[in-house]
Structures are given as structure tokens and as C-alpha cells.
Amino acid sequence: MIPKSKLLMLLVAIALGIVVMLLPRPEGTRFEIIGDPDQKVLAAVSDAFALYGAPDKEGAYLVEAKAPGTEQCTGQAIEAKIQQLGLADVSVEYDNGLSPRAKTFLAVLAFLVVLFVAEPVPLEITAMCIGVLLIATGVSDVKDAWAAYMNPVVVFIMCCLIFAIALDKANVTKRLAHAVAKKAGDSVTKFTFILAISLGLASAVMHDAAAAAIGFATILPLMRAAGVEPNTNTARFMMMSIPFACSAGGMGTLVGGGRCMVSAAFLKELTGMELDFLDWMLYAGPGALICVPAVVAVVYLVFRPDPKIKLPKYDEEIGPWTRNEIVTLSIFGLVLLSWLLKGFTGLDYSVTGILGVVALVLTGVLKWHDIHTDLEWGTALFIFGGGLALGLAMDSSGAARYFANLFFPLVKGGGWLVLLAAVGVFGALVTNAMANVAAAALILPIVIPMAKMEGVDPRVLALGLGMCTSFAYLLVIGCPPNAISYSFKQFRAMDLTKAGLVATPIMLALVLGVAALWWHIMGLV
């Protein structure tokens, strides 16, 4: 039986989805025809549409309605013509309008956001229902919706969780906790600040999810020993500082997060300009150095820990390194190295991660029973997998593109700082519902032409977007560190949103401050 308050939230979610569905749909006037280099579709609809601009390299082109608002000047009329011509490989996208599929997606998203934040049903169940809803409403097909639940990123998160189990079982995390405790004493605040900031800065050269997994494996035994109860401010501060710091740290170098690499790659593809490893570190590194401790401070101010709670003291010596510690760290180190060298080896994170898990079992550090009983399968498979399915649908339905095309022309003519702020805000919001890599790939092709028209250096937008898509602080599904942290059930999804609502604008303001001061000194702006 669902409690009344949760039933009410469920009804609110349903009502919100229905309201979005009943809102009028902006049809738009421009449509993109994809996969038609011979312009057969344009020839068939030339009485209602005219060519708009030049075709791109792949032969896609824009058409504009001659008589907007009439029945023959709609996207559905073009789709009908494509079917009539039997052009199976040709598709149409809405350029400045909202397609029926995108509107349906927004109704589903509105329903799910309430479930994500208020949790009237367990988040794992909500995550399972994402695939069901996307398929039932026709937003995604069966294959695409469920494929996201076993996406390579999901496998990678699973590997990070298993490494955390191994580090804990081998007592490596106890050694790390001992080292941090020497500096922090028994203070919860000092310990969390030192650990979170250290891992946050380490995220500039290692995957943020892996860094976060080490942090949770280190801090959880201490929380239990100190008697920290779940869903208290102390638990929230300790468990949310780590993912927030690790997400912010990834902006520091080109290898710190996929969004940085994608931003640099799109910049080169669209403009020929290059941001290499050293360039990125020089421009974005100071932002990471400022944002990592700042975001931990924000979480501290939102959830002040109980000063009466003291961490256990390590009076005994930690002892010499054991065989299991050495083996575990060696395997973990090799896997981290393979992740850093992904660009050279071509091996996906998921492949080398699974090989590392196999090595842990073969060397006796872990048994299958350890993985089977200690792994948070709900987080690994469903929560982040469902989030990925939602993000992919946001992109494929055209909803993200619609808002990008609607939003960015509003800031046209405002100068580089206004354009950068708009890119940052949009990127930080969108990345909560779709992977930050996808967000970067979506936004840059739209804003770089605007930058060129306004005389803004495109490198400014590429750097800003790579940095600001690090701030996926609003939803549990926003990024892997959030999902992993939530899996330990020390806080509710609404707590993360509460901290994110404070942290996101502050972090965006810090990035803009770095851009205005540091990039000016460096001669970039």
C-alpha cells in the first residue's frame, strides 16, 4: 500500500505529464531533411517549402515553409511525402519547432522529474519504468530503450563499484583513511574536506567515477564506526561532498572527463582550432582548483555536520603492506593506466574494467559471492541505465535541439561573456538529463556559428561548455558519481537536488569569474 503523501506525489507527477501533453505544440517553420543529397524531397514539396541556406557536407539541408500555419507546411506533411516517395533512409528533423515525438518526450520527462526528486516509489523502480514509458509512448523503440541499460558506461560504473568492494575487502581504504585521519584527527569536517578535495583534484587525471568509488569505500566504514545515521546532515555532507568534488575536478584537464575531449574535438572539427592537453590545463585548471574546494564548502553550508560526532582514532599502527593490498592496488593501477591510455589503445573503459574484475577474482582478492552480495545492482543496471535511456531519447526525439535553438538566439548580440553564460547555464541544465558528452556534442555545433558571427573566439565556448557540463548536481541520474553515491542509501534524491540548486549557480559564477579574470590575463578574451 502506497502512503497517502507518496500517492499524492504520484498523482502530481501524472497530472504534470498530462498538462505538458495538453499544451499547444509549436510547429515551427524550418525543417532539416537528412539523407537526401539529390534533394528529391525538396523537389516534391517545392510548392510549400523553399531551400534555406546551403546543404552540409553529408547532404542534409534546411527547408523553410512558404505559408506557415497551413496544413501542407508542416513536418508531418514532409514525413508523409518521404513515405510516399519510398525514401526509407531519409528523415526529417524539426529545426525551430517541436515535433510530436519531442512533445511526448517532454511529457514523460515532466512525469519522471517529479518521481526522481520526490521518490514516491523507489528510484530503482522509476528507473526501470523509464524504458517502459519511452517504448509505450513511441518515443523510443524497444531495442534503443533497453540497450541503454547495458550501455558500456553502465558496465563501467559496475566495474567502479566492484573495484570499491575490492579496495575495501583488501583493507586498502583503511590505509587511506589512516593517512587522512593523521591530518584531520577525529573531525568529520576536516576528514571529509581533505578526502573529497584530494579525490576531486585526482579526478582531473582519472575517471571521476573511479575516484568517487575510492572515496565511498574509504568513508563508509568510518561513518558506520562513528555511528553516523543515514539521512542525517552528517551523512549527507560526507556522502555528497565526494561526488560533487569529483565531478568538478574533471574539468581540470583534457583527460579528466569525456565532455572536455568532445568539446575540443568538436572545436577542431568545426573551426580547425585546436586545444591540446597543455592549453586545456592552463585555461581550465585554475577553475578546477577553485571549484573543487568551493563545492565541498557549499555542501558543508547546506548540510552542516553534527560537531559532536567524532571519527574513531587510529591508535594502532596500520602494519606492513599485505599481499592482497599489493595485488589489488597493482590491478587497480593497471586498469587506471589503461583508462588514461584509451586514446592510444582503443580499448573501451568497459573492456579494461571487466578485465580488471576478472583479474581480481583470479588472484583471489574477490570471490563471485563478494560481487554478488555486495554490488548495488539497482544502481549499476537501472538508475544510470535509465538515465542514459532518457538522455538518448532527449537527443533523438529532437527535444534538446528545440530548446537549444529556442534559447541561444535570445542572447545574440550580448558579447562573449553573455554567450558563455548562456552556454554554461544550458549545458549545466541539459547534462542532468543526458550524458555530459552528449550535451557537449549537441550544443557546440549550434553555438559555434553564433560565436563566429559575433566575433567571439570559439575556444571560449568550447572551454566553457566542457567545464560547465561538469556540474550535473541536480538529479541522481546526472552523472556516475551521483548514482554511485546514492546507491549507499545515506541520503534521499531530494537532498541531492537541494544541494545542487545551491551549488550549480555558484559553480557557474566561479567559472565565469575565472573566464573574465584568468582568460583575460592569458589573452584569450
Side-chain angles (χ1 to χ4, degrees):
M1 180 70 73
I2 301 176
K4 283 185 179 178
S5 59
K6 293 190 174 185
L7 182 61
L8 178 63
M9 291 313 301
L10 194 57
L11 292 174
V12 168
I14 294 170
L16 189 59
I18 292 173
V19 168
V20 172
M21 207 59 206
L22 292 176
L23 289 174
R25 180 178 64 82
E27 176 65 28
T29 57
R30 286 195 303 273
F31 305 89
E32 185 179 19
I33 314 295
I34 301 168
D36 182 28
D38 299 328
Q39 300 186 356
K40 294 178 182 175
V41 178
L42 176 60
V45 298
S46 58
D47 55 333
F49 294 93
L51 185 66
Y52 182 87
D56 69 9
K57 294 176 186 173
E58 282 76 34
Y61 57 92
L62 287 172
V63 296
E64 187 169 46
K66 293 179 178 176
T70 58
E71 191 176 343
Q72 68 270 26
C73 288
T74 64
Q76 288 164 304
I78 298 176
E79 287 175 350
K81 186 60 72 176
I82 291 172
Q83 287 185 1
Q84 188 181 338
L85 293 171
L87 301 172
D89 296 330
V90 178
S91 60
V92 58
E93 297 283 351
Y94 285 60
D95 187 60
N96 60 350
L98 191 67
S99 68
R101 193 158 71 100
K103 187 184 174 188
T104 305
F105 168 81
L106 292 177
V108 172
L109 181 64
F111 169 74
L112 288 171
V113 166
V114 177
L115 300 192
F116 285 145
V117 176
E119 288 185 272
V121 293
L123 217 53
E124 290 82 354
I125 301 300
T126 300
M128 289 182 195
C129 291
I130 291 174
V132 175
L133 287 168
L134 293 176
I135 295 166
T137 55
V139 174
S140 300
D141 62 28
V142 174
K143 185 179 175 183
D144 288 343
W146 293 125
Y149 287 80
M150 197 39 81
N151 185 283
V153 178
V154 174
V155 178
F156 167 72
I157 292 176
M158 196 185 301
C159 292
C160 289
L161 287 167
I162 295 172
F163 289 136
I165 295 169
L167 290 168
D168 187 36
K169 192 181 175 193
N171 276 334
V172 174
T173 51
K174 185 178 179 183
R175 193 176 289 278
L176 177 60
H178 186 272
V180 177
K182 276 188 174 178
K183 301 285 184 187
D186 59 3
S187 168
V188 166
T189 302
K190 284 184 181 177
F191 186 93
T192 306
F193 262 88
I194 292 172
L195 184 66
I197 291 172
S198 302
L199 292 171
L201 296 178
S203 295
V205 291
M206 65 188 289
H207 202 288
D208 52 10
I214 294 172
F216 300 132
T218 304
I219 212 166
L220 277 165
L222 289 175
M223 290 174 66
R224 295 187 190 108
V228 177
E229 294 291 332
N231 298 312
T232 59
N233 275 357
T234 304
R236 294 176 184 122
F237 166 62
M238 297 179 84
M239 291 301 290
M240 267 186 259
S241 294
I242 293 172
F244 278 31
C246 290
S247 294
M251 74 170 79
T253 72
L254 207 53
V255 301
R259 67 273 189 186
C260 306
M261 196 71 82
V262 165
S263 296
F266 265 87
L267 177 73
K268 188 173 183 181
E269 177 70 23
L270 297 171
T271 68
M273 303 173 81
E274 191 167 5
L275 282 168
D276 62 21
F277 185 90
L278 184 61
D279 290 333
W280 192 283
M281 190 171 67
L282 285 175
Y283 291 127
L289 290 174
I290 293 170
C291 287
V292 167
V295 80
V296 180
V298 169
V299 179
Y300 170 78
L301 292 174
V302 175
F303 299 116
R304 286 180 180 272
D306 185 347
K308 296 176 186 170
I309 296 177
K310 300 295 181 186
L311 297 177
K313 292 182 179 177
Y314 287 91
D315 294 328
E316 79 281 10
E317 287 299 320
I318 201 71
W321 288 87
T322 64
R323 180 255 178 198
N324 265 10
E325 284 178 300
I326 295 170
V327 171
T328 304
L329 278 180
S330 300
I331 294 171
F332 190 53
L334 286 172
V335 172
L336 282 179
L337 184 63
S338 72
W339 289 345
L340 280 174
L341 298 176
K342 177 177 175 288
F344 297 100
T345 64
L347 290 173
D348 190 78
Y349 297 121
S350 58
V351 174
T352 44
I354 287 292
L355 287 175
V357 171
V358 172
L360 288 170
V361 174
L362 292 179
T363 53
V365 175
L366 285 180
K367 295 185 176 4
W368 172 249
H369 181 75
D370 299 320
I371 299 171
H372 175 65
T373 54
D374 295 340
L375 181 64
E376 290 292 338
W377 295 97
T379 299
L381 288 179
F382 298 120
I383 293 182
F384 201 70
L388 273 179
L390 198 62
L392 292 172
M394 186 175 188
D395 186 23
S396 65
S397 70
R401 177 173 168 162
Y402 167 73
F403 282 110
N405 282 320
L406 187 71
F407 183 65
F408 289 116
L410 298 177
V411 298
K412 189 177 178 182
W416 74 268
L417 192 57
V418 173
L419 188 55
L420 177 62
V423 166
V425 170
F426 193 77
L429 292 176
V430 169
T431 197
N432 280 279
M434 63 194 301
N436 47 33
V437 171
L442 166 78
I443 297 170
L444 266 187
I446 294 171
V447 296
I448 279 186
M450 289 180 62
K452 287 180 176 175
M453 283 190 288
E454 298 202 27
V456 175
D457 189 333
R459 292 179 298 168
V460 171
L461 300 185
L463 281 161
L465 187 61
M467 295 169 76
C468 294
T469 47
S470 301
F471 307 139
Y473 294 152
L474 298 177
L475 297 176
V476 167
I477 61 167
C479 62
N482 290 0
I484 295 172
S485 180
Y486 175 81
S487 71
F488 297 106
K489 307 300 181 191
Q490 296 293 319
F491 59 84
R492 296 186 62 199
M494 188 180 289
D495 298 325
L496 188 135
T497 304
K498 181 181 175 183
L501 286 172
V502 180
T504 303
I506 293 175
M507 294 303 107
L508 289 171
L510 287 175
V511 167
L512 292 177
V514 167
L517 293 175
W518 179 243
W519 295 357
H520 180 69
I521 293 171
M522 297 288 290
L524 183 64
V525 294

